[in-house]
Amino acid sequence: MAPPPSHLDPSELGNKDYWQTTYTNDLTTHTENPANTGTTWFTTSNASPLTLAYLLTLTPPLSKPTTTFLDLGTGNGEMLFLLRSSGGFTGKMLGIDYSPASVELATRVARQRGYNNTDEDVRFREWDILREPTVENGWTEGDFDVVLDKGTFDAISLNEETDGWGRR
């Protein structure tokens, strides 16, 4: 039997350019048809509704008015919108992504749904968590009760770049 690989094989899914192209295309599609909000990761596995269902069954229950969420690799922001609309959560929510086109798409969809990207609302910011320090401008200050990741770790693991020790 062959030994397991030391790393996952690199994939285009681990490349920032892939995601920037994907969300740029989604922005174009959304502009032409505002009902199309773009790519939702793991749609076929029903990941977002299953995540919401899980969060709603935690004991003790999460406080709907005060629980705060950080969504890593937010994409089109769909998970945060679901938490607001179907989950009834109204605490601080921040979606971050390293793709500027993703953040623009999520912000446009948020405006379309009546959110204004303020501290009291669902907010989206560009941030490469592996390469950029925390920005000291208030939007990352404080803790988050729940940190969500629906595929960001997968994408990071599929990047071909390595650090000084050969790790990805």
Side-chain angles (χ1 to χ4, degrees):
M1 177 181 262
S6 59
H7 296 290
L8 296 172
D9 291 332
S11 163
E12 66 181 357
L13 297 176
N15 183 318
K16 183 176 180 177
D17 291 338
Y18 171 85
W19 294 107
Q20 184 62 11
T21 299
T22 296
Y23 289 111
T24 298
N25 292 338
D26 286 350
L27 273 167
T28 300
T29 303
H30 180 69
T31 299
E32 294 167 357
N33 176 9
N36 185 329
T37 58
T39 303
T40 299
W41 199 234
F42 296 122
T43 301
T44 57
S45 64
N46 214 24
S48 296
L50 290 172
T51 300
L52 174 60
Y54 171 76
L55 291 170
L56 292 173
T57 61
L58 290 176
T59 304
L62 296 173
S63 167
K64 290 186 178 186
T66 63
T67 297
T68 58
F69 292 89
L70 174 63
D71 188 17
L72 303 175
T74 198
N76 64 359
E78 177 267 342
M79 187 69 224
L80 296 181
F81 302 135
L82 184 66
L83 289 164
R84 275 279 199 262
S85 64
S86 297
F89 291 97
T90 58
K92 178 171 89 171
M93 294 185 181
L94 174 63
I96 62 167
D97 207 295
Y98 71 174
S99 165
S102 158
V103 173
E104 176 62 25
L105 176 63
T107 301
R108 285 186 190 181
V109 174
R111 272 191 244 116
Q112 180 182 353
R113 295 183 183 193
Y115 304 114
N116 61 13
N117 206 29
T118 67
D119 286 342
E120 296 79 33
D121 238 332
V122 179
R123 297 173 297 143
F124 299 97
R125 299 290 186 267
E126 181 184 343
W127 183 29
D128 185 337
I129 61 171
L130 295 179
R131 291 177 179 78
E132 299 172 9
T134 302
V135 180
E136 299 292 332
N137 65 3
W139 58 267
T140 57
E141 289 179 7
D143 297 329
F144 289 90
D145 299 310
V146 179
V147 177
L148 301 165
D149 166 35
K150 222 172 42 172
T152 301
F153 181 75
D154 297 347
I156 290 169
S157 298
L158 295 171
N159 188 303
E160 64 186 9
E161 294 178 27
T162 58
D163 65 13
W165 295 278
R167 299 178 299 194
R168 284 198 279 157

